[in-house]
Amino acid sequence: MTDVGELLRKGRMFRASGDPSGAARYLAEAAEHAPRDRTVLTELALAHFQSAALGKAERVLTTLVDLDPSDGYTRLLLGRTLSRQSRHADAMPHLRLAAAITRDPEVEAEVARAQARVTTTREAPSPSP
């Protein structure tokens, strides 16, 4: 039997030491054994985000949103993940919800930054052929 707690501990240790890719290996295994454990999934999403595996981070964060749509931190991280992929318009609903849930001024600032990027992208001239 696999000890999910030990895998989580090792994953956190690797992430704390600056090796998010190494952390993701342990945390992915932990998630296989505990696919609805929000702590494991959050740590896995963070490891993927920090190692720039943004597609993987997005998939894990979407699962977390499905498990708890009212988790402001998950919404913030999903918004940041989408924004980091230059999907600013897709990020906006998640960032706005995170701001509404958390009432954190830093999250509200993140919304403003993403909104500015959406506006800039829409105003940018189309490239000529």
Side-chain angles (χ1 to χ4, degrees):
M1 180 165 186
T2 302
D3 184 352
V4 172
E6 182 61 16
L7 291 169
L8 179 61
R9 186 191 68 73
K10 285 181 180 178
R12 284 178 168 164
M13 182 185 69
F14 271 80
R15 211 166 62 76
S17 71
D19 183 2
S21 295
R25 288 190 289 278
Y26 287 103
L27 296 166
E29 185 178 346
E32 287 177 19
H33 297 285
R36 298 179 60 83
D37 185 310
R38 291 178 45 220
T39 301
V40 169
L41 294 175
T42 300
E43 289 287 338
L44 178 58
L46 285 167
H48 286 318
F49 181 83
Q50 291 170 340
S51 64
L54 301 176
K56 291 178 180 181
E58 180 182 350
R59 285 188 292 279
V60 174
L61 289 162
T62 300
T63 298
L64 279 164
V65 166
D66 290 343
L67 291 172
D68 183 2
S70 67
D71 184 334
Y73 182 72
T74 297
R75 293 283 183 169
L76 172 62
L77 191 54
L78 179 54
R80 285 183 174 167
T81 300
L82 294 168
S83 233
R84 198 165 163 195
Q85 296 176 73
S86 297
R87 294 171 51 198
H88 308 296
D90 294 338
M92 287 305 300
H94 299 288
L95 293 173
R96 285 187 181 124
L97 276 168
I101 292 166
T102 65
R103 302 280 187 213
D104 183 333
E106 290 183 31
V107 177
E108 291 172 8
E110 184 78 23
V111 171
R113 284 190 294 274
Q115 184 61 54
R117 290 182 193 115
V118 169
T119 303
T120 302
T121 302
R122 287 184 182 154
E123 293 175 357
S126 301
S128 30

